Amino acid sequence: MLKKVFIKTFGCQMNEYDSSKMQDILNQAHASSKTENPEEADLIILNTCSVREKAEEKIYSHLGEYEALKKINPNLLIAIGGCVGSQEGENILKRAPFVDLIFGPQTLHRLPDLVSKRRSAGLSQVDISFPEIEKFDYLPPPSFTGASAMVSIIEGCSKYCSFCVVPYTRGEEISRPFEDVLAEVVHLASLGAKEITLLGQNVNAYRSLTKNGTPADLALLIEYISEIDEIKRIKFTTSHPNEMNDSLLECFGKFPKLATHLHLPIQSGSDRILSAMKRNYTALEYKNIVRKLKKNCSQISISSDFIIGFPNETDADFQLTKKIMEEVQFDFSFSFLYSPRPGTPASYIHDEIPHEIKLKRLNELQLINEAQGKAISHLMLGTKQRILIDGQSWKNPAEMAGKTDNNRVVDIKTDKSFINQFVDVIITEVTSKRLRGDII
Ligand code: SAM
Ligand code: F3S
């Protein structure tokens, strides 16, 4: 039996979601509970990310710490899951032979099985295969408390951008059946969920069939979820520009429950770089999507991802990225330096651009984006916003905090009885990175 499980999660919302599923399946198999203290755990899981940086190195430094715990508690099991597990597989054992279990994002449901095999055989277990989305057939129904829940609707990625490791670590895109997704949302609603975030590496590539055999896409899913009374807000992330079909664009402005925010990674404003990245759209095509979105929903907020310093990005390329940042008026963005990933086509390109120039560009872009974000916050002053209060404010525990449709945190003077409730507030103040509001 496993009494206590400690999970350390790195990376994106998808990994947060996977960690909660690992916890659910171990709870079901072992009646184990979650701990925040690795010293009292019988199983430590590192749910890893390999999208950027020397992710492996980060993992090995944590492993050193956990190896010491194994000396005190020889029954402790150590597991590596997520994208580093999937990418490195058995190689991890060469460097860290004390690791007991290695699995990938598509085999996390086999964790209880891997634990028993490890114990009976006395050997480390590795399972990084990509079984056809069987995972969801084995996972127990979500145990959930709170008002905001996530549901994975499509796994993997088939886009193969030249810089990205995800298609190799998470496998090809595969959608969950439409009826299964709806059943999970209804179940979550019965447990108290009021906000649903639909997840996928390319969530808008979702394709399935309804029970009548009608083709179903993300737009249809949003339409059906809108009909569930208990669900008051619907979000989805992350979208790919090439999958923004007209029916999805029309959802904004048509379904009041759909949050007026879209995260739409652009990566660069230069067509030359976009083509080298294998993104398959131009800056103009991207701007066209934004134009249609703004036409359907004037208050839409758009955020994005940028990669700065892709091999041989010139100053002219960078100026185009700055230009599109200003033209689109992105709200907030994630911008990072390009990081070569083993085995990806871009990692073989010889790059002439010095690191300091890339850093300078990154800083410049981030300053522009910060100023834009602040300007948008100031435009929100005096407006009415719908907030889901999710708990006490960390700035002042006597106050509560919640999020707007466009993901801004608002501090509100009110009491705990409002936690997990939607309220309408008037925005009264812009503080450094947050807002302040009064309940109407
Ligand atoms: N589906 C999304 C899209 O349309 O691009 C992307 C999901 S990807 C896991 C998340 C982000 O990681 C990307 O948007 C990209 O900015 C970043 N990323 C991926 N590979 C990277 C690399 N090698 N270096 C730097 N950033 C990277
Ligand atoms: Fe990565 Fe491109 Fe897919 S950034 S996750 S290969 S859309």
Side-chain angles (χ1 to χ4, degrees):
M1 288 306 268
L2 292 170
K3 283 198 226 91
K4 300 249 177 208
V5 180
F6 171 79
I7 307 182
K8 185 158 181 67
T9 309
F10 299 83
C12 62
Q13 266 181 312
M14 221 45 210
N15 264 14
E16 294 286 344
Y17 177 82
D18 285 350
S19 291
S20 74
K21 295 291 150 192
M22 291 174 202
Q23 193 69 59
D24 284 351
I25 197 142
L26 290 166
N27 289 356
Q28 187 191 48
H30 292 269
S32 53
S33 61
K34 174 174 162 181
T35 172
E36 301 301 331
N37 177 8
E39 288 173 25
E40 61 172 26
D42 325 270
L43 170 63
I44 292 178
I45 304 175
L46 294 174
N47 188 12
T48 60
C49 168
S50 58
V51 162
R52 270 181 299 269
E53 297 167 356
K54 300 210 161 61
E56 297 90 271
E57 293 310 317
K58 233 196 220 165
I59 304 305
Y60 287 112
S61 82
H62 278 281
L63 276 178
E65 205 180 299
Y66 301 142
E67 185 187 12
L69 292 179
K70 217 169 170 165
K71 291 193 179 118
I72 304 166
N73 172 11
N75 290 326
L76 171 66
L77 296 178
I78 298 179
I80 306 275
C83 290
V84 175
S86 179
Q87 185 183 291
E88 296 295 305
E90 297 214 347
N91 286 336
I92 293 174
L93 296 175
K94 290 190 195 137
R95 233 175 121 173
F98 55 88
V99 169
D100 301 280
L101 314 169
I102 297 167
F103 59 98
Q106 298 312 333
T107 46
L108 63 90
H109 58 294
R110 296 183 182 162
L111 253 174
D113 215 32
L114 290 171
V115 169
S116 28
K117 282 191 187 144
R118 165 67 186 91
R119 286 195 166 145
S120 58
L123 291 171
S124 301
Q125 300 293 314
V126 182
D127 186 350
I128 52 168
S129 54
F130 293 137
E132 272 247 326
I133 210 155
E134 63 170 40
K135 172 163 97 178
F136 292 97
D137 297 333
Y138 290 84
L139 291 170
S143 60
F144 161 79
T145 49
S148 185
M150 297 189 275
V151 178
S152 166
I153 63 166
I154 174 169
E155 298 265 319
C157 178
S158 309
K159 303 287 186 279
Y160 293 92
C161 300
S162 64
F163 52 83
C164 185
V165 80
V166 169
Y168 312 98
T169 57
R170 285 189 174 264
E172 295 270 323
E173 276 160 15
I174 178 148
S175 296
R176 287 180 69 192
F178 190 74
E179 302 301 328
D180 289 10
V181 173
L182 283 181
E184 186 164 328
V185 177
V186 168
H187 174 71
L188 287 164
S190 74
L191 297 177
K194 293 181 175 159
E195 174 183 270
I196 290 288
T197 305
L198 304 171
L199 291 181
Q201 294 298 336
N202 292 307
V203 70
N204 55 344
Y206 179 78
R207 297 290 179 274
S208 182
L209 294 173
T210 66
K211 63 173 177 248
N212 305 326
T214 315
D217 59 3
L218 178 60
L220 195 71
L221 203 49
I222 292 169
E223 187 178 335
Y224 274 52
I225 296 174
S226 281
E227 296 291 316
I228 303 171
D229 278 348
E230 294 86 344
I231 304 298
K232 307 289 182 207
R233 180 148 78 188
I234 305 167
K235 299 177 173 178
F236 60 89
T237 197
T238 299
S239 296
H240 192 288
N242 289 348
E243 304 280 359
M244 289 304 299
N245 59 16
D246 282 345
S247 53
L248 184 56
L249 289 168
E250 281 158 17
C251 288
F252 291 96
K254 182 165 161 196
F255 298 112
K257 290 184 180 178
L258 183 61
T260 51
H261 167 242
L262 179 70
H263 187 71
L264 193 63
I266 182 166
Q267 316 300 356
S268 170
S270 153
D271 290 345
R272 195 182 73 87
I273 296 293
L274 287 172
S275 156
M277 287 177 164
K278 241 183 108 241
R279 291 291 292 179
N280 290 323
Y281 55 81
T282 62
L284 185 62
E285 282 165 340
Y286 186 97
K287 283 192 282 184
N288 243 333
I289 299 172
V290 172
R291 189 178 50 78
K292 287 186 193 164
L293 270 169
K294 290 190 173 166
K295 192 169 149 232
N296 293 345
C297 174
S298 56
Q299 73 274 33
I300 188 95
S301 123
I302 301 168
S303 59
S304 202
D305 292 349
F306 288 85
I307 294 181
I308 297 301
F310 186 80
N312 305 319
E313 177 193 64
T314 63
D315 192 51
D317 293 319
F318 176 63
Q319 294 307 324
L320 290 168
T321 299
K322 268 173 41 182
K323 185 164 165 253
I324 205 156
M325 168 69 91
E326 284 163 352
E327 281 174 346
V328 173
Q329 281 291 305
F330 287 109
D331 194 338
F332 57 91
S333 294
F334 301 105
S335 45
F336 290 95
L337 286 187
Y338 163 73
S339 143
R341 300 285 70 213
T344 56
S347 67
Y348 298 101
I349 307 174
H350 176 71
D351 186 14
E352 299 279 343
I353 314 291
H355 184 70
E356 308 78 69
I357 292 192
K358 296 180 181 181
L359 264 184
K360 197 170 148 269
R361 289 178 186 161
L362 181 68
N363 270 335
E364 215 179 305
L365 190 78
Q366 288 179 339
L367 284 177
I368 298 173
N369 198 198
E370 233 169 77
Q372 278 174 194
K374 256 194 197 138
I376 295 172
S377 291
H378 279 279
L379 285 177
M380 290 170 76
L381 276 173
T383 61
K384 184 171 112 178
Q385 300 288 332
R386 190 170 55 134
I387 312 289
L388 174 57
I389 299 188
D390 44 27
Q392 288 165 288
S393 164
W394 66 261
K395 281 183 90 183
N396 176 1
E399 294 188 352
M400 301 299 125
K403 284 207 181 116
T404 60
D405 263 19
N406 60 352
N407 258 337
R408 274 177 175 63
V409 179
V410 184
D411 293 310
I412 307 156
K413 267 202 188 85
T414 185
D415 59 75
K416 284 186 184 169
S417 66
F418 282 92
I419 292 178
N420 294 340
Q421 305 289 333
F422 272 98
V423 291
D424 283 336
V425 301
I426 291 284
I427 302 301
T428 55
E429 197 185 332
V430 178
T431 53
S432 68
K433 293 216 157 141
R434 303 157 76 98
L435 302 172
R436 173 172 286 287
D438 289 336
I439 293 186
I440 300 174

